[in-house]
């Protein structure tokens, strides 16, 4: 069941009410997702305690697969997506489980060697800094995921939060890693340019470039915010309740450079960030979960020319329940509403809502409408992707119950 709630200026009573869409929002569109399906994870003992979820098409069959990080017993689980095209119910295929080093923190995926297969990167805590890489050797259209043995490519990296983006414009995915930092030591962003040869079985990276990035870096979004063709970096600063945005000024492909960060205030405890065009003006905006304030902050990009980046004062939307990770997609209003003026695509935001045991979905240009997709346990991490290859954005999350929950778009 999907519980709908809220309109412009939602209150906590709106959030707590388990009402139908029509009760909560006059003339509201139907929820764009079908009822969620919970799929148990088939894992070895000891019990699986998932912490981080990403998606990528590991076997090149056109469907997004899943990789899940388990921190308590230091494991990585890769699951192929066996959902038939256009199906109304998700299905999981075969999976593999791989051991990790102690204290893994996050995972990320990108095609490091240009073979069109996403490889996997694992980062670890600052007490034992390093980066592990699993090169993807899964056959195209294969039914069993396959990765080469784990290799540590950097044993000195001080950072926990990985992301990928083409920082120097050479077409290869570069690794960007955020390091938390705390007063009086600021956090930082470390960039490692991807130098892996095409088709290589081992990943290589260039020398590290470190950038100061505010206090308490704990999430990263990479996008071109000033339309100059270069990928900029935005990070949340949970200690100072800010977002720091670093503008890419790189002119030499071998040496990335960035302008000093600009800081944008958010609600208290920013914990997740995603770049998405919220107001449909063609520029990437930011949506940020603020865990301590139970809010989602909406930061509209007001940049007027390349060479500078600016964001408007954020507007905050109450969602309750410790929202943490965040993802974004679009849905087609024409499929969910009978009135012509509502046709067209609208962005939506999905947030893992820990204390409410739910995925909270906010939608509309102002993110003024929202509802919960219930889970059976605390939400840990949320992703948005097309899981049944029908051209529509679906939502998935992992919960502390060792289950993967998927809600397919209508």
């Amino acid at each position: 069941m999907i519980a709908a709630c809220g309109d412009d200026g939602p209150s906590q009573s709106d959030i707590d009410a388990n009402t139908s869409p029509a009760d909560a929002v006059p003339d509201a569109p139907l929820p764009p997702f079908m009822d969620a399906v919970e799929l148990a994870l088939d894992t070895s003992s000891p019990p699986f305690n998932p912490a981080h979820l990403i998606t990528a098409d590991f076997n090149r069959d056109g469907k997004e697969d899943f990789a899940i990080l388990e921190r308590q017993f230091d494991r990585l689980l890769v699951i192929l997506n066996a959902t038939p095209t256009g199906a109304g119910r998700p299905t999981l295929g075969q999976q593999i489980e791989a051991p990790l080093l102690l204290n893994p923190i996050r995972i990320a995926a990108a095609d490091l060697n240009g073979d069109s297969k996403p490889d996997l990167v694992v980062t670890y805590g600052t007490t034992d800094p390093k980066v592990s890489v699993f090169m993807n050797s899964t056959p195209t259209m294969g039914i069993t995921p396959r990765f080469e043995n784990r290799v540590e490519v950097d044993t000195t990296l001080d950072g926990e939060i990985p992301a990928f983006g083409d920082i120097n414009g050479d077409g290869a995915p570069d690794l960007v890693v955020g390091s938390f930092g705390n007063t009086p030591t600021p956090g930082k962003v470390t960039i490692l340019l991807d130098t892996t040869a095409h088709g290589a079985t081992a990943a290589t990276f260039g020398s590290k470039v470190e950038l100061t990035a505010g206090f308490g870096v704990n999430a990263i979004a990479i996008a071109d915010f000033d339309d100059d063709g270069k990928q900029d970096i935005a990070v949340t600063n949970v200690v100072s309740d800010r977002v720091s945005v670093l503008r890419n000024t790189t002119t030499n492909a071998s040496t990335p450079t960035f302008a000093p960060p600009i800081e944008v205030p958010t609600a208290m405890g920013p914990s997740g960030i995603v770049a998405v065009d919220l107001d449909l003006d063609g520029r990437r905006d930011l949506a940020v979960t603020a865990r301590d304030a139970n809010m989602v902050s909406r930061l509209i990009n007001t940049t007027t020319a390349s060479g500078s980046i600016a964001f408007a004062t954020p507007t905050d939307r109450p969602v309750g329940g410790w929202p943490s990770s965040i993802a974004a997609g679009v849905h087609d209003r024409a499929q969910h509403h009978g009135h012509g003026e509502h046709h067209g695509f609208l962005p939506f935001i999905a947030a893992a809502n820990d204390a409410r045991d739910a995925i909270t979905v906010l939608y509309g240009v102002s993110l003024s409408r929202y509802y919960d997709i219930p889970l059976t346990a605390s939400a840990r991490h949320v992703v948005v992707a097309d899981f049944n290859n029908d051209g529509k954005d679906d939502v998935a999350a992992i919960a502390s119950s060792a289950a993967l929950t998927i809600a397919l778009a209508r």
Side-chain angles (χ1 to χ4, degrees), residues 41 43-53 67-77 97-107 122 124 380 398 402:
L41 300 177
T43 62
S44 64
S45 59
F48 199 77
N49 184 20
H52 191 219
L53 168 68
I68 301 172
L69 175 70
E70 195 274 340
R71 280 192 199 146
Q72 186 173 353
F73 298 100
D74 308 320
R75 290 175 288 176
L76 174 67
L77 185 69
E97 189 174 313
L100 300 174
L101 300 175
L102 294 177
N103 195 27
I105 301 296
R106 288 283 190 273
I107 49 178
V122 183
Y124 298 84
R380 295 289 176 81
I398 50 170

Side-chain angles (χ1 to χ4, degrees), residues 56-57 59 61-65 81-85 386-389:
D57 183 4
N59 62 347
D61 66 350
K63 293 190 288 281
E64 292 287 304
D65 308 304
N81 179 3
T83 306
T85 297
D386 180 4
F387 298 119
N388 61 350
N389 205 22

Side-chain angles (χ1 to χ4, degrees), residues 73-132:
F73 298 100
D74 308 320
R75 290 175 288 176
L76 174 67
L77 185 69
V78 179
I79 311 171
L80 293 186
N81 179 3
T83 306
T85 297
R89 182 180 177 86
T91 306
L92 298 182
Q94 295 192 36
Q95 65 186 46
I96 58 171
E97 189 174 313
L100 300 174
L101 300 175
L102 294 177
N103 195 27
I105 301 296
R106 288 283 190 273
I107 49 178
D111 176 16
L112 296 173
N113 62 354
D115 65 355
S116 301
K117 298 176 183 178
D119 309 300
L120 286 169
V121 164
V122 183
T123 54
Y124 298 84
T126 55
T127 57
D128 191 15
K130 57 179 60 72
V131 173
S132 295

